[in-house]
Amino acid sequence: TRKCPMKCEHCFEWDNLNQKESFTKEELLKVIDMYQQEGVQQFHFSGGEPMTRLKVLLELLKFSKEKSQCWVVTSGFNCTEENARLLKEAGCKGVMVSIDHHICEMHNIFRGHSDSFDHATNAVRAVKKAGMVCAICVCATKSFIDGGHLLPYFEFAKNLGVHFMQLLEPKSVGHYEGKNVTLEENHIQILEGFFKKVNHSKKYKRYPTLLYHGYHQRRIGCLAGSRSVYIDSAG
């Protein structure tokens, strides 16, 4: 979907948002069928905000679940206990909730929505209660890293009880186009050191697993086409 109630600082779909939908339900089903015929094993449904188009999303999950593992990537908007239960019943394996700060006010500013932190944390609880895998995702900006927020955020993830946490790097596209947001070498070194430390130290044995695609991409190349395909909301 192109619909989204947020105004996120880092949104790479910014120019596509809140316009007429590009895909009908039938077209989305054709896309899924096409990729399943190619052997795609996992689908991540995003947007925009996929939970704004819940009825269609549930049908896509039901259609996909027999041949592929299905995930939903959300800001937490509209992910109530009832809707999380519906996702589970439709065949959703897990939900990735985007939470870009452990401090409520900072997250709300980043997302451009005064209730977004509550939506996100309530969504995590709802997803876990429904019995799905739950992860949270943070865009690690320069200010986030320089402010020493990595470890406090990791503690926050542990306290939420999520199964894993994902680190993203800001890119100068979408809402960030033309802005100096690309991480510098010192920031990358901090992220990579943190990634290795928390995943391999016994001290963090009872913490969530940390996922960081950037670490691997710098060593084996871009994953696009070889391991993943992304279709934006404009098709």
Side-chain angles (χ1 to χ4, degrees):
T1 179
R2 290 177 135 185
K3 301 296 184 288
C4 186
M6 306 293 168
K7 296 181 175 65
C8 302
E9 181 180 305
H10 67 325
C11 180
F12 54 86
E13 285 275 359
W14 187 255
D15 296 329
N16 293 332
L17 293 185
N18 298 316
Q19 300 180 43
K20 183 180 178 181
E21 294 289 13
S22 297
F23 291 106
T24 64
K25 181 188 73 175
E26 289 72 27
E27 288 169 336
L28 288 167
L29 292 171
K30 286 181 181 179
V31 171
I32 293 168
D33 181 59
M34 177 179 71
Y35 280 105
Q36 285 189 327
Q37 288 185 43
E38 294 295 330
V40 168
Q41 297 174 330
Q42 194 173 90
F43 286 91
H44 291 208
F45 295 101
S46 60
E49 170 51 63
M51 296 299 288
T52 63
R53 205 175 178 188
L54 181 62
K55 184 177 178 181
V56 172
L57 176 60
L58 294 173
E59 293 191 49
L60 300 181
L61 290 167
K62 291 173 184 176
F63 179 83
S64 309
K65 66 179 181 179
E66 297 303 324
K67 295 181 180 179
S68 307
Q69 189 185 88
C70 299
W71 284 70
V72 171
V73 182
T74 176
S75 66
F77 177 81
N78 200 32
C79 192
T80 62
E81 287 189 7
E82 171 64 14
N83 289 342
R85 182 184 63 79
L86 292 174
L87 291 177
K88 170 72 173 178
E89 291 176 354
C92 185
K93 173 70 174 179
V95 177
M96 174 81 73
V97 183
S98 297
I99 307 182
D100 287 292
H101 215 291
H102 58 98
I103 299 172
C104 172
E105 293 78 12
M106 296 301 292
H107 172 80
N108 289 343
I109 291 171
F110 191 94
R111 292 269 151 182
H113 194 293
S114 60
D115 295 323
S116 59
F117 188 82
D118 289 339
H119 286 316
T121 51
N122 288 337
V124 169
R125 298 182 187 100
V127 168
K128 290 170 55 187
K129 185 174 181 179
M132 290 180 284
V133 179
C134 188
I136 58 173
C137 180
V138 58
C139 180
T141 62
K142 293 178 183 179
S143 60
F144 184 88
I145 298 168
D146 291 338
H149 293 293
L150 276 172
L151 188 55
Y153 187 95
F154 199 47
E155 293 281 355
F156 167 71
K158 180 191 177 190
N159 291 335
L160 279 177
V162 297
H163 298 93
F164 66 92
M165 166 187 151
Q166 178 173 265
L167 280 174
L168 294 180
E169 297 178 22
K171 303 293 181 183
S172 55
V173 296
H175 207 190
Y176 270 162
E177 185 175 358
K179 298 179 182 177
N180 183 25
V181 297
T182 303
L183 298 182
E184 297 170 10
E185 185 60 31
N186 64 305
H187 298 117
I188 291 171
Q189 291 302 317
I190 290 171
L191 290 183
E192 292 198 351
F194 184 73
F195 169 69
K196 290 187 285 188
K197 180 174 75 172
V198 301
N199 277 334
H200 296 285
S201 170
K202 290 183 178 179
K203 180 179 178 180
Y204 299 102
K205 182 179 177 180
R206 301 190 182 280
Y207 284 69
T209 300
L210 181 60
L211 197 66
Y212 177 29
H213 295 303
Y215 178 90
H216 306 289
Q217 288 172 330
R218 273 186 282 275
R219 288 157 177 80
I220 64 174
C222 181
L223 307 181
S226 63
R227 292 168 179 79
S228 64
V229 175
Y230 178 77
I231 305 171
D232 73 10
S233 64

